[in-house]
Amino acid sequence: MSSLHSILDMVRAGVHGAAELVEGSDEIEVSEVRIIDQFDQLSDAGPGSLVVLDRDLSHVAETYRFDIALRRIGGQGAVGVAVFLPPDARFSLTARVLARKAGLVLVRFDPGTDITQLLQGIARQIADKLHITVERARRACEAIGRVDTRKSSVADIVQLGSMLLGREVVLGTADDARHMDRLAVPARVTAHDGQWLITERMNDADADALVEMVLWRLAAEASRCAVEQESLERYTRRTAGEVLLQLIEADRATRVSLAPTARRVGIPIDASHVIVRIEFDNLLDLSTDDEVAAYQNRERMTNVALEAAPRNMGVWHAAHDPSMLVLLCSDEHAPALDSGLDAQRSIGRIVDQLVATTPGLRIYCGVGSARATLAGLVTSATEARLATSSARSRRRVNQPVSFDAIGLRTTLVEWYSSSSVRESIDALFAPLNVMTDTKRQQLLETLTTYLDFQSSTTQTAEALHIHRNAVRYRIRRAFELLNLDEGDPEQRLFLHLACRARQPS
């Protein structure tokens, strides 16, 4: 049994000739086809049959004898009559009314139609409800090849396959594909552990082979679509990442000029933002000092971080440079990560995933608080940097530290952002410029850790893995060079804040 729609579709698309539904619905089911060349053969038309008048008999379609034929076959349960007539020939009004009342279809085939091929094609359709033929499979493959993958998704391609095959094709798992009563091929031909294109078997070896051929053609196109979409996503993400880094590092005037570009690449700058800063402590070592390998590892970890990011909390963007990975979470309606502690827990899962996929990795992670608009994005980035500095000074390896959790306030960030304060900090540390970069960084790290541990020489030595005498020497040397009184609480506070501001990334 097959639908009249599929039969007409086969005729129109193949080499059998033109077909026109003149009266009735093409949704009816046809169980058999009866071609007759004499009227006394009408009695052979049983329920569900489509009666086809041969070329010689079709001329009666414009006479009263055709009306009689319609009355007879309508009483026998047939579904309709097909005749061979030229396009300018017409069924009589009476015939059309009779067909309508009896629920019969009237079909016109072109007189040049090859009757033998027509009947063979219809017979195949009826013998197999899914009407899989070599011709149909060929047409399906050709149609799939014309898909514009730039404008189509994998789901669109699967839907097209269902339509072309006349049967449901779905995306499923490898476990779904193992059922014996199903035909399945990997949706991405190189990824057998991913999704599969699946449809039911037809219990006919030839038909199953044709269906599988079409499924492989679908898989090839779905693979191409997936590759092109991934390439576009990588390009968009890389572009957005570059813009994100520029926004964070630029001055106010430059940030304003970058705003239109940020919007074009999908960064909703008017939304509420949270910045996550992840600094790599030993990535280059894990990459065996190979900068190309290190770059590939950063790309991979960017993918891991984005996949692990909680989707219900906003839109995520990522950027990386040789020293760090920056994540941006934006929500246009309300702060997604609306408190530092909540953010820390959410980001903790990302950090855990990064560490799990890169054995031996050591990172320091800081999380800014939720801030609105472009200015807020930059503020959150500053907070994330400070939180990361806190993580370093406290040796909080592979643990996110939130800005809110360490008790820093917005006023402190504003203090850091002041040009006059930066000048004061530069002036404070100017005496250290006589030292080499390594010695100066070593001295600042020791001084910051010492102040973080409330002047505990023992804890500082343990944190930095050096002898207590080395700590004492560096601290004494620092206060002498900076010409500060360690016992003065105001000088000590300013020094502590200045050390945080100058903490190396």
Side-chain angles (χ1 to χ4, degrees), residues 124 127-128 130 132-133 167 183 200-212:
R124 290 193 198 99
D128 176 7
L130 297 172
I132 301 300
T133 63
R167 61 188 304 171
L183 289 170
E200 298 297 320
R201 286 185 179 274
M202 296 167 53
N203 299 318
D204 179 284
D206 291 337
D208 283 347
L210 290 172
V211 172
E212 189 170 10

XYZ file of all heavy atoms in Angstrom, residues 124 127-128 130 132-133 167 183 200-212:
165
model
N 6.048 -1.023 -7.630
C 7.090 -0.982 -6.592
C 6.623 -0.160 -5.396
O 6.865 -0.507 -4.242
C 8.378 -0.387 -7.158
C 9.087 -1.263 -8.164
C 10.495 -0.740 -8.415
N 11.047 -1.278 -9.642
C 11.068 -0.624 -10.792
N 10.575 0.609 -10.858
N 11.588 -1.162 -11.864
N 4.052 -2.247 -3.507
C 4.646 -3.419 -2.852
C 5.443 -3.020 -1.620
O 5.543 -3.755 -0.651
C 5.546 -4.156 -3.842
N 5.992 -1.826 -1.653
C 6.790 -1.340 -0.523
C 6.285 0.035 -0.145
O 6.478 1.006 -0.871
C 8.269 -1.265 -0.924
C 9.117 -0.674 0.191
O 8.593 -0.457 1.304
O 10.292 -0.420 -0.076
N 7.313 2.158 1.735
C 8.362 3.165 1.853
C 8.949 3.520 0.492
O 9.811 4.383 0.413
C 9.450 2.657 2.800
C 8.939 2.428 4.221
C 10.012 1.746 5.054
C 8.501 3.710 4.862
N 11.190 2.726 -1.687
C 12.603 3.000 -1.925
C 13.021 2.315 -3.220
O 13.019 1.089 -3.306
C 13.466 2.499 -0.752
C 13.028 3.179 0.538
C 14.934 2.773 -1.023
C 13.141 4.676 0.502
N 13.324 3.081 -4.211
C 13.785 2.562 -5.494
C 15.133 3.173 -5.805
O 15.545 4.156 -5.190
C 12.789 2.920 -6.614
O 12.742 4.346 -6.742
C 11.393 2.393 -6.301
N 10.378 8.595 5.049
C 10.370 7.876 6.330
C 11.187 8.679 7.325
O 12.000 9.518 6.948
C 10.971 6.486 6.154
C 12.417 6.546 5.679
C 12.959 5.200 5.310
N 12.836 4.262 6.410
C 13.070 2.973 6.295
N 13.393 2.458 5.119
N 12.964 2.167 7.330
N 18.668 0.778 10.789
C 19.810 1.138 9.954
C 20.417 2.408 10.533
O 19.686 3.332 10.882
C 19.361 1.397 8.516
C 18.924 0.184 7.686
C 18.283 0.651 6.387
C 20.119 -0.720 7.390
N 14.391 3.035 10.632
C 13.995 1.635 10.779
C 14.342 0.834 9.516
O 14.276 1.338 8.401
C 12.484 1.538 11.037
C 12.028 2.217 12.314
C 12.637 1.584 13.559
O 12.736 0.336 13.590
O 13.005 2.325 14.485
N 14.697 -0.442 9.709
C 14.933 -1.321 8.575
C 13.622 -1.611 7.852
O 12.547 -1.503 8.423
C 15.546 -2.640 9.039
C 17.005 -2.535 9.454
C 17.570 -3.904 9.779
N 18.970 -3.807 10.162
C 19.982 -3.803 9.302
N 19.729 -3.911 8.009
N 21.230 -3.701 9.725
N 13.728 -2.027 6.585
C 12.553 -2.319 5.782
C 12.365 -3.819 5.564
O 11.430 -4.239 4.882
C 12.682 -1.621 4.430
C 12.707 -0.120 4.537
S 13.225 0.667 3.013
C 12.107 -0.083 1.844
N 13.299 -4.634 6.111
C 13.248 -6.088 5.954
C 13.310 -6.507 4.489
O 12.699 -7.507 4.075
C 11.975 -6.645 6.620
C 11.951 -6.363 8.106
O 12.971 -6.493 8.784
N 10.794 -5.967 8.621
N 14.016 -5.736 3.709
C 14.270 -6.042 2.306
C 15.716 -5.645 2.040
O 16.069 -4.475 2.157
C 13.304 -5.284 1.401
C 13.561 -5.573 -0.072
O 14.556 -5.023 -0.610
O 12.778 -6.323 -0.679
N 16.549 -6.618 1.698
C 17.985 -6.359 1.604
C 18.312 -5.270 0.582
O 19.140 -4.391 0.838
C 18.725 -7.655 1.236
N 17.658 -5.307 -0.581
C 17.938 -4.306 -1.609
C 17.500 -2.915 -1.158
O 18.237 -1.935 -1.325
C 17.219 -4.669 -2.912
C 17.810 -5.922 -3.559
O 18.978 -6.229 -3.259
O 17.090 -6.559 -4.336
N 16.288 -2.847 -0.601
C 15.791 -1.550 -0.144
C 16.637 -1.011 0.999
O 16.960 0.187 1.052
C 14.338 -1.672 0.286
N 17.050 -1.893 1.926
C 17.900 -1.447 3.041
C 19.230 -0.906 2.534
O 19.757 0.072 3.057
C 18.148 -2.611 4.003
C 16.958 -2.892 4.897
O 16.046 -2.038 4.949
O 16.923 -3.961 5.539
N 19.781 -1.540 1.498
C 21.053 -1.072 0.937
C 20.909 0.321 0.337
O 21.791 1.176 0.489
C 21.547 -2.053 -0.125
N 19.775 0.568 -0.317
C 19.531 1.886 -0.894
C 19.356 2.940 0.193
O 19.883 4.055 0.094
C 18.290 1.848 -1.790
C 18.435 1.057 -3.096
C 17.091 0.931 -3.780
C 19.446 1.717 -4.019
N 18.615 2.593 1.241
C 18.416 3.534 2.349
C 19.755 3.855 3.008
O 20.059 5.012 3.316
C 17.428 2.959 3.383
C 17.380 3.837 4.627
C 16.039 2.845 2.781
N 20.571 2.836 3.212
C 21.874 3.064 3.852
C 22.756 3.958 2.978
O 23.497 4.798 3.485
C 22.561 1.734 4.116
C 23.819 1.870 4.960
C 24.366 0.536 5.428
O 23.879 -0.510 4.946
O 25.270 0.537 6.276
